[in-house]
Amino acid sequence: MTKTEPSDMERRSGVALWRQIADRIRQGIAAGTLGEDDRLPPELVLSERFGVNRHTVRAAISALVQEGVLRAEQGRGTFIERRQRLTYPISARTRFSAGLEGQARDRRGSLLAHATEPAKARVAEALDLAEGAPVIRLETLSEADGRPVSRAASWFDAKRFAGFEAAFADTGSITLALKRFGVDDYFRKSTLVSARHADAADLADLKLSPGAIVLVAVAVNVDTDGRPIQFAETRFAADRVELTVQS
């Protein structure tokens, strides 16, 4: 096992060392270079490998245990939780419930917050509205078998979809809420996927630990006439979900 010292630049990067070590453990698990027989090496071995003290390694492991990546068993050691990631397809008809069908028995959405606000330039362009036009913003959480999977911010034209927040709160589904406004079918016009560290809201709502990675999908949905109906930014817990693009 090769010792890898974090560089001086990494030590002065502003990112806590334990977060960097947690990321390296995640990467090692994903690459198969850590966790023989699903058991993590002892703290002392990891501290030598990463060139940090045992307290730093312990903090990283504690965060990953809280997040569900690792499992600590007293007297036995720390083990990798081999929960299979959910596969979330991105296609012309991307739907949360349908996309996870067969992978989770219970799939549901809940409303975290909502507001009517003037559309900022980015939102207005996506929805083909004038900048400053009123839009409804929904903050939602999606769960699969009681486990948080994604957190989203979505915007809708407030004139066309007045009261949309109530329809979503009642149905727990964007698709079913849209049907109440006469949108029986819709399509994904575009999706842009990136990755970043989870922010405070992601950590709290997705039950992640600091340093966790989220996959960010920015998307525009249109109705059958090609009119934009939804602009959304969805954050997926990267350790729980993988995104697949389908033609």
Side-chain angles (χ1 to χ4, degrees), residues 16 38 53 64 69 76 85 87 89 91 98 103 110 124-125 137 148 163 168 190 195 203 211 227 238 242:
D38 286 348
N53 62 47
L64 294 175
V69 177
R76 294 193 62 216
R85 287 183 181 177
T87 298
S91 64
Q103 301 181 72
S110 57
E125 181 181 3
R137 174 176 50 83
F168 178 83
S190 64
L203 297 179
R227 296 172 61 195
E242 61 183 11

Side-chain angles (χ1 to χ4, degrees), residues 178-246:
L178 285 169
K179 286 182 181 293
R180 295 191 177 185
F181 291 86
V183 181
D184 293 323
D185 199 6
Y186 61 95
F187 303 93
R188 179 61 58 91
K189 178 183 178 182
S190 64
T191 305
L192 177 65
V193 179
S194 60
R196 61 168 170 76
H197 281 95
D199 62 21
D202 298 331
L203 297 179
D205 294 321
L206 295 176
K207 298 181 181 178
L208 301 173
S209 60
I213 302 298
V214 290
L215 303 176
V216 183
V218 178
V220 177
N221 286 326
V222 298
D223 63 17
T224 53
D225 294 324
R227 296 172 61 195
I229 56 172
Q230 179 190 13
F231 175 58
E233 180 181 295
T234 306
R235 283 87 74 199
F236 296 88
D239 287 322
R240 301 172 194 164
V241 181
E242 61 183 11
L243 305 180
T244 61
V245 179
Q246 300 179 346

Side-chain angles (χ1 to χ4, degrees), residues 39-201:
R39 183 194 296 268
L40 206 66
E43 290 177 0
L44 180 60
V45 173
L46 290 173
S47 67
E48 292 177 349
R49 174 172 182 166
F50 295 123
V52 297
N53 62 47
R54 292 179 66 178
H55 296 294
T56 301
V57 170
R58 191 170 300 138
I61 290 175
S62 177
L64 294 175
V65 168
Q66 178 182 343
E67 193 175 321
V69 177
L70 301 175
R71 179 183 77 257
E73 295 186 11
Q74 190 168 3
R76 294 193 62 216
T78 304
F79 297 85
I80 299 168
E81 281 283 22
R82 293 292 183 185
R83 291 185 180 179
Q84 186 173 1
R85 287 183 181 177
L86 297 170
T87 298
Y88 187 78
I90 296 176
S91 64
R93 280 189 169 86
T94 298
R95 310 285 191 269
F96 176 76
S97 186
L100 297 185
E101 188 173 5
Q103 301 181 72
R105 294 182 299 276
D106 182 34
R107 307 174 298 279
R108 65 181 62 189
S110 57
L111 181 62
L112 299 175
H114 66 87
T116 299
E117 60 191 24
K120 294 182 179 179
R122 177 175 177 236
V123 175
E125 181 181 3
L127 293 178
D128 197 18
L129 299 172
E131 188 172 349
V135 290
I136 296 169
R137 174 176 50 83
L138 301 187
E139 299 283 346
T140 58
L141 181 70
S142 296
E143 298 177 288
D145 291 336
R147 196 177 186 206
V149 171
S150 63
R151 186 184 193 279
S154 299
W155 292 264
F156 304 85
D157 180 357
K159 291 184 178 179
R160 182 177 180 184
F161 298 106
F164 192 85
E165 68 279 2
F168 178 83
D170 187 38
T171 62
S173 164
I174 294 292
T175 299
L176 295 179
L178 285 169
K179 286 182 181 293
R180 295 191 177 185
F181 291 86
V183 181
D184 293 323
D185 199 6
Y186 61 95
F187 303 93
R188 179 61 58 91
K189 178 183 178 182
S190 64
T191 305
L192 177 65
V193 179
S194 60
R196 61 168 170 76
H197 281 95
D199 62 21

